[in-house]
């Protein structure tokens, strides 16, 4: 039997803990969200995050970039937010306008306000497995929380991460490595035969490539843990990167889409924000 990893249920538990932590702080927790208002997906996600933040007591400031946004103008905005003592955390919602160099913008966020853990400083701490407190990108950290909640062993396991983005794949690779898995990172330039070989050997597969039903049950090792980070729409229906039906019965655990990693991403972002507030009151 394949067990469903219920991200919505675990996110509810996480959010309840976050709300309790917020209630104990002496001053408001405020998350600034910088986004491109022309991007439909960004508007949707920002709205969802703002609504969920309100339920746990976190104030949000949604800040749309203007039509002529450049790397320099967005960084200037970030610097103002860094200096604003009323702002607890900053999230830069990707994608930004065409031509804006996102990596430069991510790294302009002060480490003590980096709610999504995408700046070079905090990602360096992650890859160095630093002993100090630091934030981690919300999606991969949410995946780790989900695995831990279901007591899924990671140490000594063979893990395959498919996708190498700064928001997901690279930090996911580091988190699993720090948890003592043996990790392979695959991406668009990985030869198909090589990818299929790694899939058949992987105890844990985490995929985020943005291609509907990219993986089938027949691609997987029997009993693999499958974490689907993909969110795609086919004929108006949300589907992941994994063909859920064919993977059931092959995987030991699997995340659904929707209701799997998505709720954990938002819950982890809010968790990160309150952690920043606690550390830098």
């Amino acid at each position: 039997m394949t067990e469903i990893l219920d991200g919505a249920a675990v996110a509810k538990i996480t959010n309840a803990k976050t709300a309790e932590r917020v209630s104990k702080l002496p001053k408001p927790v405020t998350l600034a969200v910088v986004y491109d208002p022309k991007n439909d997906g960004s508007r949707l996600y920002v709205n969802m995050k703002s609504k969920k933040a309100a339920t746990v007591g976190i104030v949000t400031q949604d800040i749309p970039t203007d039509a002529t946004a450049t790397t320099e103008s967005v960084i200037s905005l970030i610097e103002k937010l860094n200096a604003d003592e009323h702002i607890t955390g900053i999230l830069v919602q990707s994608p930004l306008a065409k031509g804006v160099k996102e990596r430069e913008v991510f790294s302009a966020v002060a480490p003590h306000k980096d709610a999504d853990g995408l700046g070079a400083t905090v990602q360096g701490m992650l890859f160095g497995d630093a002993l100090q407190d630091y934030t981690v990108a919300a999606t991969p950290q949410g995946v780790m929380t989900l695995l831990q909640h279901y007591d899924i062993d990671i140490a000594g396991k063979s893990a395959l991460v498919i996708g190498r983005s700064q928001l997901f794949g690279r930090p996911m690779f580091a988190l699993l490595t720090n948890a003592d898995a043996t990790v392979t990172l695959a991406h668009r330039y990985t030869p198909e035969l090589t990818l299929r070989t790694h899939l058949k050997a992987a105890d844990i597969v985490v995929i985020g490539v943005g291609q509907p039903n990219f993986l089938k049950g027949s691609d997987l090792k029997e009993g693999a843990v499958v974490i689907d980070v993909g969110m795609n729409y086919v004929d108006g229906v949300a589907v992941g990167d994994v063909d859920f039906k064919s993977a059931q019965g092959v995987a030991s655990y699997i995340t659904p889409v929707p209701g799997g990693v998505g709720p954990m991403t938002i819950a982890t972002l809010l968790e990160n924000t309150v952690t920043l507030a606690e550390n830098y009151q």
Side-chain angles (χ1 to χ4, degrees), residues 3-25:
E3 184 170 353
I4 305 300
L5 299 175
D6 190 343
V10 179
K12 187 175 181 179
I13 295 169
T14 302
N15 287 329
K17 293 177 181 178
T18 297
E20 183 177 359
R21 292 165 63 190
V22 170
S23 70
K24 294 178 180 179
L25 290 169

Side-chain angles (χ1 to χ4, degrees), residues 68-148:
T68 59
T70 62
T71 303
E72 292 73 21
S73 68
V74 179
I75 288 177
S76 178
L77 170 60
I78 296 297
E79 289 173 343
K80 291 176 183 177
L81 295 172
N82 286 338
D84 188 338
E85 63 180 15
H86 300 294
I87 299 296
T88 306
I90 301 168
L91 167 68
V92 179
Q93 178 67 50
S94 179
L96 294 174
K98 185 178 180 180
V100 175
K101 298 176 182 177
E102 291 189 353
R103 291 184 185 181
E104 292 186 20
V105 173
F106 293 152
S107 292
V109 178
H112 68 280
K113 292 192 178 186
D114 193 347
D116 209 15
L118 296 179
T121 297
V122 292
Q123 289 215 336
M125 294 174 77
L126 168 62
F127 275 82
D129 199 13
L131 297 177
Q132 308 99 306
D133 286 337
Y134 55 90
T135 51
V136 178
T139 294
Q141 183 58 53
V143 170
M144 296 300 288
T145 301
L146 201 54
L147 292 172
Q148 291 159 8

Side-chain angles (χ1 to χ4, degrees), residues 4-278:
I4 305 300
L5 299 175
D6 190 343
V10 179
K12 187 175 181 179
I13 295 169
T14 302
N15 287 329
K17 293 177 181 178
T18 297
E20 183 177 359
R21 292 165 63 190
V22 170
S23 70
K24 294 178 180 179
L25 290 169
K27 61 181 183 180
V29 179
T30 303
L31 174 66
V33 182
V34 178
Y35 70 103
D36 177 9
K38 291 185 177 180
N39 185 282
D40 293 339
S42 291
R43 289 201 310 274
L44 174 64
Y45 287 129
V46 168
N47 186 49
M48 289 171 58
K49 289 168 185 173
S50 296
K51 287 182 178 179
K52 185 57 67 176
T55 68
V56 301
I58 293 176
V59 178
T60 55
Q61 287 188 17
D62 298 337
I63 306 170
T65 57
D66 60 39
T68 59
T70 62
T71 303
E72 292 73 21
S73 68
V74 179
I75 288 177
S76 178
L77 170 60
I78 296 297
E79 289 173 343
K80 291 176 183 177
L81 295 172
N82 286 338
D84 188 338
E85 63 180 15
H86 300 294
I87 299 296
T88 306
I90 301 168
L91 167 68
V92 179
Q93 178 67 50
S94 179
L96 294 174
K98 185 178 180 180
V100 175
K101 298 176 182 177
E102 291 189 353
R103 291 184 185 181
E104 292 186 20
V105 173
F106 293 152
S107 292
V109 178
H112 68 280
K113 292 192 178 186
D114 193 347
D116 209 15
L118 296 179
T121 297
V122 292
Q123 289 215 336
M125 294 174 77
L126 168 62
F127 275 82
D129 199 13
L131 297 177
Q132 308 99 306
D133 286 337
Y134 55 90
T135 51
V136 178
T139 294
Q141 183 58 53
V143 170
M144 296 300 288
T145 301
L146 201 54
L147 292 172
Q148 291 159 8
H149 178 85
Y150 282 90
D151 296 320
I152 295 171
D153 290 332
I154 299 173
K157 300 296 184 180
S158 174
L160 174 63
V161 178
I162 307 175
R164 61 176 178 178
S165 71
Q166 190 172 356
L167 286 75
F168 156 64
R170 295 170 193 260
M172 190 78 254
F173 173 90
L175 283 167
L176 289 167
T177 300
N178 293 349
D180 299 320
T182 300
V183 191
T184 299
L185 180 62
H187 46 77
R188 70 177 63 189
Y189 296 106
T190 303
E192 184 175 353
L193 181 58
T194 302
L195 176 61
R196 302 302 166 184
T197 301
H198 284 304
L199 277 165
K200 282 296 186 181
D203 302 305
I204 302 170
V205 177
V206 192
I207 180 170
V209 296
Q211 296 185 39
N213 302 319
F214 181 80
L215 291 187
K216 305 291 192 294
S218 58
D219 297 321
L220 301 168
K221 176 183 179 179
E222 187 75 30
V225 176
V226 180
I227 308 295
D228 191 349
V229 179
M231 174 60 80
N232 313 285
Y233 289 91
V234 177
D235 297 327
V237 178
V239 297
D241 292 343
V242 178
D243 180 5
F244 187 85
K245 288 184 179 179
S246 69
Q248 282 190 298
V250 179
S252 57
Y253 296 87
I254 192 170
T255 54
V257 177
V261 176
M264 291 304 304
T265 296
I266 296 177
T268 304
L269 172 69
L270 301 179
E271 187 178 41
N272 282 352
T273 303
V274 73
T275 297
L276 293 174
E278 291 169 340

